[in-house]
Short mmCIF file of all heavy atoms in Angstrom, two decimals:
data_model
loop_
_atom_site.label_atom_id
_atom_site.label_comp_id
_atom_site.label_asym_id
_atom_site.label_seq_id
_atom_site.Cartn_x
_atom_site.Cartn_y
_atom_site.Cartn_z
N SER A 1 -51.16 -12.46 35.53
CA SER A 1 -51.85 -13.73 35.40
C SER A 1 -52.86 -13.71 34.26
O SER A 1 -53.37 -12.65 33.88
CB SER A 1 -52.60 -14.08 36.69
OG SER A 1 -51.71 -14.20 37.79
N LEU A 2 -53.12 -14.88 33.74
CA LEU A 2 -54.18 -15.09 32.76
C LEU A 2 -55.32 -15.81 33.47
O LEU A 2 -55.07 -16.68 34.31
CB LEU A 2 -53.67 -15.94 31.59
CG LEU A 2 -54.65 -16.21 30.46
CD1 LEU A 2 -54.81 -14.96 29.60
CD2 LEU A 2 -54.18 -17.39 29.61
N LEU A 3 -56.55 -15.46 33.12
CA LEU A 3 -57.71 -16.03 33.78
C LEU A 3 -58.67 -16.65 32.78
O LEU A 3 -58.74 -16.25 31.62
CB LEU A 3 -58.46 -14.96 34.57
CG LEU A 3 -57.66 -14.17 35.61
CD1 LEU A 3 -58.51 -13.05 36.18
CD2 LEU A 3 -57.18 -15.09 36.73
N LEU A 4 -59.41 -17.64 33.23
CA LEU A 4 -60.50 -18.21 32.46
C LEU A 4 -61.67 -18.40 33.40
O LEU A 4 -61.64 -19.27 34.28
CB LEU A 4 -60.11 -19.54 31.82
CG LEU A 4 -61.19 -20.17 30.94
CD1 LEU A 4 -61.42 -19.32 29.68
CD2 LEU A 4 -60.83 -21.60 30.55
N GLN A 5 -62.69 -17.57 33.23
CA GLN A 5 -63.91 -17.72 34.00
C GLN A 5 -64.82 -18.68 33.27
O GLN A 5 -65.15 -18.47 32.10
CB GLN A 5 -64.60 -16.36 34.17
CG GLN A 5 -65.91 -16.42 34.95
CD GLN A 5 -65.71 -16.83 36.39
OE1 GLN A 5 -64.82 -16.33 37.06
NE2 GLN A 5 -66.54 -17.76 36.87
N MET A 6 -65.23 -19.75 33.94
CA MET A 6 -66.06 -20.78 33.34
C MET A 6 -67.37 -20.85 34.10
O MET A 6 -67.40 -21.18 35.29
CB MET A 6 -65.35 -22.13 33.38
CG MET A 6 -63.97 -22.13 32.75
SD MET A 6 -63.25 -23.79 32.64
CE MET A 6 -63.10 -24.18 34.38
N ASN A 7 -68.46 -20.53 33.42
CA ASN A 7 -69.79 -20.58 34.00
C ASN A 7 -70.62 -21.66 33.34
O ASN A 7 -70.33 -22.11 32.23
CB ASN A 7 -70.48 -19.22 33.85
CG ASN A 7 -69.78 -18.11 34.58
OD1 ASN A 7 -69.17 -18.32 35.64
ND2 ASN A 7 -69.88 -16.90 34.04
N SER A 8 -71.68 -22.06 34.01
CA SER A 8 -72.62 -23.05 33.46
C SER A 8 -71.89 -24.27 32.93
O SER A 8 -72.12 -24.73 31.81
CB SER A 8 -73.47 -22.41 32.36
OG SER A 8 -74.20 -21.30 32.84
N LEU A 9 -71.02 -24.82 33.74
CA LEU A 9 -70.19 -25.94 33.31
C LEU A 9 -71.03 -27.17 32.97
O LEU A 9 -72.06 -27.44 33.59
CB LEU A 9 -69.17 -26.28 34.38
CG LEU A 9 -68.00 -25.31 34.45
CD1 LEU A 9 -67.28 -25.44 35.78
CD2 LEU A 9 -67.04 -25.56 33.29
N LYS A 10 -70.56 -27.89 31.97
CA LYS A 10 -71.21 -29.09 31.48
C LYS A 10 -70.27 -30.28 31.61
O LYS A 10 -69.05 -30.10 31.62
CB LYS A 10 -71.62 -28.92 30.01
CG LYS A 10 -72.51 -27.73 29.73
CD LYS A 10 -72.75 -27.58 28.23
CE LYS A 10 -73.64 -26.40 27.93
NZ LYS A 10 -73.87 -26.25 26.47
N PRO A 11 -70.80 -31.50 31.66
CA PRO A 11 -69.93 -32.67 31.74
C PRO A 11 -68.90 -32.72 30.61
O PRO A 11 -67.78 -33.19 30.84
CB PRO A 11 -70.92 -33.84 31.66
CG PRO A 11 -72.16 -33.30 32.29
CD PRO A 11 -72.22 -31.86 31.82
N GLU A 12 -69.26 -32.26 29.44
CA GLU A 12 -68.34 -32.29 28.32
C GLU A 12 -67.19 -31.29 28.45
O GLU A 12 -66.27 -31.29 27.64
CB GLU A 12 -69.06 -32.06 26.98
CG GLU A 12 -69.96 -30.83 26.97
CD GLU A 12 -71.42 -31.17 27.24
OE1 GLU A 12 -71.69 -31.97 28.15
OE2 GLU A 12 -72.29 -30.64 26.52
N ASP A 13 -67.23 -30.44 29.47
CA ASP A 13 -66.12 -29.55 29.77
C ASP A 13 -65.02 -30.26 30.55
O ASP A 13 -63.95 -29.68 30.78
CB ASP A 13 -66.59 -28.33 30.56
CG ASP A 13 -67.53 -27.45 29.77
OD1 ASP A 13 -67.30 -27.24 28.56
OD2 ASP A 13 -68.51 -26.95 30.37
N THR A 14 -65.28 -31.47 30.98
CA THR A 14 -64.28 -32.24 31.73
C THR A 14 -63.03 -32.43 30.89
O THR A 14 -63.08 -32.96 29.78
CB THR A 14 -64.86 -33.60 32.14
OG1 THR A 14 -65.95 -33.40 33.04
CG2 THR A 14 -63.80 -34.45 32.81
N ALA A 15 -61.90 -32.00 31.42
CA ALA A 15 -60.63 -32.06 30.69
C ALA A 15 -59.52 -31.51 31.57
O ALA A 15 -59.77 -30.95 32.64
CB ALA A 15 -60.72 -31.25 29.40
N ILE A 16 -58.30 -31.66 31.09
CA ILE A 16 -57.18 -30.95 31.67
C ILE A 16 -57.04 -29.65 30.89
O ILE A 16 -57.00 -29.67 29.66
CB ILE A 16 -55.88 -31.76 31.59
CG1 ILE A 16 -56.02 -33.06 32.38
CG2 ILE A 16 -54.71 -30.95 32.13
CD1 ILE A 16 -54.82 -33.98 32.27
N TYR A 17 -56.98 -28.55 31.60
CA TYR A 17 -56.92 -27.24 30.98
C TYR A 17 -55.50 -26.68 31.07
O TYR A 17 -54.88 -26.70 32.13
CB TYR A 17 -57.90 -26.28 31.65
CG TYR A 17 -59.33 -26.53 31.24
CD1 TYR A 17 -60.01 -27.65 31.69
CD2 TYR A 17 -60.00 -25.65 30.39
CE1 TYR A 17 -61.32 -27.90 31.30
CE2 TYR A 17 -61.31 -25.88 30.00
CZ TYR A 17 -61.96 -27.01 30.45
OH TYR A 17 -63.26 -27.25 30.06
N TYR A 18 -55.03 -26.15 29.95
CA TYR A 18 -53.68 -25.61 29.85
C TYR A 18 -53.72 -24.15 29.41
O TYR A 18 -54.52 -23.78 28.55
CB TYR A 18 -52.85 -26.37 28.81
CG TYR A 18 -52.73 -27.85 29.06
CD1 TYR A 18 -53.67 -28.74 28.56
CD2 TYR A 18 -51.66 -28.36 29.78
CE1 TYR A 18 -53.56 -30.10 28.77
CE2 TYR A 18 -51.53 -29.72 29.99
CZ TYR A 18 -52.49 -30.59 29.48
OH TYR A 18 -52.35 -31.94 29.69
N CYS A 19 -52.84 -23.34 29.97
CA CYS A 19 -52.65 -22.00 29.44
C CYS A 19 -51.37 -21.99 28.61
O CYS A 19 -50.46 -22.79 28.82
CB CYS A 19 -52.56 -20.95 30.56
SG CYS A 19 -51.14 -21.08 31.66
N ALA A 20 -51.33 -21.10 27.63
CA ALA A 20 -50.19 -21.03 26.73
C ALA A 20 -49.95 -19.60 26.30
O ALA A 20 -50.89 -18.82 26.14
CB ALA A 20 -50.45 -21.91 25.50
N ALA A 21 -48.68 -19.26 26.09
CA ALA A 21 -48.27 -17.92 25.70
C ALA A 21 -47.64 -17.93 24.32
O ALA A 21 -46.84 -18.80 23.99
CB ALA A 21 -47.28 -17.36 26.72
N HIS A 22 -48.01 -16.94 23.52
CA HIS A 22 -47.54 -16.78 22.16
C HIS A 22 -46.79 -15.46 22.05
O HIS A 22 -47.34 -14.41 22.42
CB HIS A 22 -48.73 -16.82 21.20
CG HIS A 22 -48.39 -16.79 19.75
ND1 HIS A 22 -49.11 -16.05 18.84
CD2 HIS A 22 -47.42 -17.42 19.05
CE1 HIS A 22 -48.60 -16.23 17.64
NE2 HIS A 22 -47.57 -17.06 17.75
N LYS A 23 -45.57 -15.48 21.52
CA LYS A 23 -44.74 -14.28 21.47
C LYS A 23 -45.28 -13.19 20.54
O LYS A 23 -44.93 -12.02 20.71
CB LYS A 23 -43.32 -14.63 21.03
CG LYS A 23 -42.52 -15.41 22.05
CD LYS A 23 -41.13 -15.67 21.54
CE LYS A 23 -40.31 -16.41 22.56
NZ LYS A 23 -38.94 -16.71 22.05
N GLN A 24 -46.10 -13.56 19.59
CA GLN A 24 -46.60 -12.60 18.62
C GLN A 24 -47.77 -11.81 19.17
O GLN A 24 -48.31 -12.11 20.24
CB GLN A 24 -46.99 -13.31 17.32
CG GLN A 24 -45.91 -14.22 16.76
CD GLN A 24 -44.61 -13.48 16.48
OE1 GLN A 24 -44.63 -12.30 16.14
NE2 GLN A 24 -43.50 -14.17 16.64
N THR A 25 -48.18 -10.79 18.40
CA THR A 25 -49.28 -9.93 18.84
C THR A 25 -50.64 -10.49 18.50
O THR A 25 -51.63 -10.16 19.16
CB THR A 25 -49.16 -8.53 18.23
OG1 THR A 25 -49.19 -8.62 16.81
CG2 THR A 25 -47.86 -7.86 18.66
N TRP A 26 -50.73 -11.34 17.48
CA TRP A 26 -52.00 -11.83 17.01
C TRP A 26 -52.42 -13.11 17.74
O TRP A 26 -51.60 -13.88 18.21
CB TRP A 26 -51.93 -12.11 15.51
CG TRP A 26 -50.88 -13.11 15.11
CD1 TRP A 26 -51.00 -14.46 15.07
CD2 TRP A 26 -49.54 -12.81 14.69
NE1 TRP A 26 -49.82 -15.04 14.64
CE2 TRP A 26 -48.90 -14.04 14.40
CE3 TRP A 26 -48.83 -11.61 14.51
CZ2 TRP A 26 -47.59 -14.12 13.96
CZ3 TRP A 26 -47.51 -11.69 14.07
CH2 TRP A 26 -46.91 -12.93 13.80
#
């Protein structure tokens, strides 16, 4: 799994959040 820990959230953080995978190493 991939994780995103979000602390001290602000109203401007309101959004739909997406995870994405990239085949490359960079």
Side-chain angles (χ1 to χ4, degrees):
S1 299
L2 182 75
L3 305 173
L4 182 68
Q5 179 65 45
M6 306 187 296
N7 297 328
S8 302
L9 284 162
K10 303 175 180 180
E12 51 263 44
D13 295 319
T14 296
I16 298 175
Y17 284 72
Y18 303 89
C19 65
H22 185 221
K23 290 181 178 179
Q24 308 302 328
T25 60
W26 59 86

